mmCIF file of all heavy atoms in Angstrom:
data_model
loop_
_atom_site.group_PDB
_atom_site.id
_atom_site.type_symbol
_atom_site.label_atom_id
_atom_site.label_comp_id
_atom_site.label_asym_id
_atom_site.label_seq_id
_atom_site.Cartn_x
_atom_site.Cartn_y
_atom_site.Cartn_z
ATOM 1 N N VAL A 55 19.847 1.776 44.609
ATOM 2 C CA VAL A 55 18.689 2.359 45.293
ATOM 3 C C VAL A 55 18.731 2.015 46.771
ATOM 4 O O VAL A 55 18.448 2.860 47.629
ATOM 5 C CB VAL A 55 17.376 1.842 44.663
ATOM 6 C CG1 VAL A 55 16.163 2.368 45.391
ATOM 7 C CG2 VAL A 55 17.327 2.189 43.186
ATOM 8 N N THR A 56 19.084 0.766 47.089
ATOM 9 C CA THR A 56 19.115 0.287 48.466
ATOM 10 C C THR A 56 20.325 -0.603 48.656
ATOM 11 O O THR A 56 20.661 -1.381 47.766
ATOM 12 C CB THR A 56 17.841 -0.525 48.787
ATOM 13 O OG1 THR A 56 16.703 0.300 48.557
ATOM 14 C CG2 THR A 56 17.822 -0.995 50.226
ATOM 15 N N ALA A 57 20.958 -0.506 49.819
ATOM 16 C CA ALA A 57 22.061 -1.389 50.179
ATOM 17 C C ALA A 57 21.838 -1.884 51.603
ATOM 18 O O ALA A 57 21.543 -1.098 52.504
ATOM 19 C CB ALA A 57 23.388 -0.635 50.100
ATOM 20 N N LEU A 58 21.922 -3.184 51.774
ATOM 21 C CA LEU A 58 21.723 -3.801 53.088
ATOM 22 C C LEU A 58 22.796 -4.843 53.322
ATOM 23 O O LEU A 58 23.164 -5.565 52.407
ATOM 24 C CB LEU A 58 20.367 -4.521 53.145
ATOM 25 C CG LEU A 58 19.112 -3.744 52.819
ATOM 26 C CD1 LEU A 58 17.958 -4.693 52.566
ATOM 27 C CD2 LEU A 58 18.777 -2.822 53.976
ATOM 28 N N ASP A 59 23.275 -4.946 54.578
ATOM 29 C CA ASP A 59 24.142 -6.078 54.861
ATOM 30 C C ASP A 59 23.248 -7.314 54.936
ATOM 31 O O ASP A 59 22.024 -7.211 55.038
ATOM 32 C CB ASP A 59 24.985 -5.866 56.117
ATOM 33 C CG ASP A 59 24.192 -5.854 57.413
ATOM 34 O OD1 ASP A 59 23.165 -6.537 57.519
ATOM 35 O OD2 ASP A 59 24.614 -5.135 58.346
ATOM 36 N N LEU A 60 23.837 -8.478 54.843
ATOM 37 C CA LEU A 60 23.035 -9.691 54.724
ATOM 38 C C LEU A 60 22.175 -9.957 55.956
ATOM 39 O O LEU A 60 21.098 -10.529 55.837
ATOM 40 C CB LEU A 60 23.913 -10.901 54.399
ATOM 41 C CG LEU A 60 23.370 -11.787 53.294
ATOM 42 C CD1 LEU A 60 22.793 -11.038 52.132
ATOM 43 C CD2 LEU A 60 24.352 -12.806 52.860
ATOM 44 N N GLN A 61 22.624 -9.533 57.126
ATOM 45 C CA GLN A 61 21.798 -9.694 58.319
ATOM 46 C C GLN A 61 20.493 -8.926 58.175
ATOM 47 O O GLN A 61 19.419 -9.438 58.467
ATOM 48 C CB GLN A 61 22.550 -9.217 59.561
ATOM 49 C CG GLN A 61 22.864 -10.319 60.515
ATOM 50 C CD GLN A 61 23.589 -9.782 61.719
ATOM 51 O OE1 GLN A 61 24.354 -8.812 61.649
ATOM 52 N NE2 GLN A 61 23.370 -10.399 62.845
ATOM 53 N N GLU A 62 20.568 -7.688 57.722
ATOM 54 C CA GLU A 62 19.368 -6.884 57.491
ATOM 55 C C GLU A 62 18.508 -7.493 56.391
ATOM 56 O O GLU A 62 17.297 -7.515 56.469
ATOM 57 C CB GLU A 62 19.732 -5.466 57.056
ATOM 58 C CG GLU A 62 20.275 -4.581 58.116
ATOM 59 C CD GLU A 62 20.614 -3.224 57.543
ATOM 60 O OE1 GLU A 62 21.552 -3.139 56.743
ATOM 61 O OE2 GLU A 62 19.902 -2.272 57.902
ATOM 62 N N ALA A 63 19.156 -7.969 55.341
ATOM 63 C CA ALA A 63 18.447 -8.477 54.173
ATOM 64 C C ALA A 63 17.666 -9.749 54.474
ATOM 65 O O ALA A 63 16.656 -10.018 53.841
ATOM 66 C CB ALA A 63 19.426 -8.730 53.033
ATOM 67 N N ASN A 64 18.123 -10.526 55.447
ATOM 68 C CA ASN A 64 17.454 -11.790 55.761
ATOM 69 C C ASN A 64 16.011 -11.604 56.197
ATOM 70 O O ASN A 64 15.190 -12.483 56.013
ATOM 71 C CB ASN A 64 18.222 -12.558 56.838
ATOM 72 C CG ASN A 64 19.426 -13.262 56.277
ATOM 73 O OD1 ASN A 64 19.480 -13.569 55.089
ATOM 74 N ND2 ASN A 64 20.397 -13.517 57.128
ATOM 75 N N SER A 65 15.688 -10.473 56.765
ATOM 76 C CA SER A 65 14.329 -10.263 57.252
ATOM 77 C C SER A 65 13.504 -9.381 56.324
ATOM 78 O O SER A 65 12.426 -8.931 56.686
ATOM 79 C CB SER A 65 14.378 -9.639 58.649
ATOM 80 O OG SER A 65 14.969 -8.359 58.581
#
Side-chain angles (χ1 to χ4, degrees):
V55 177
T56 302
L58 305 164
D59 68 32
L60 226 42
Q61 246 180 328
E62 287 179 292
N64 282 336
S65 64

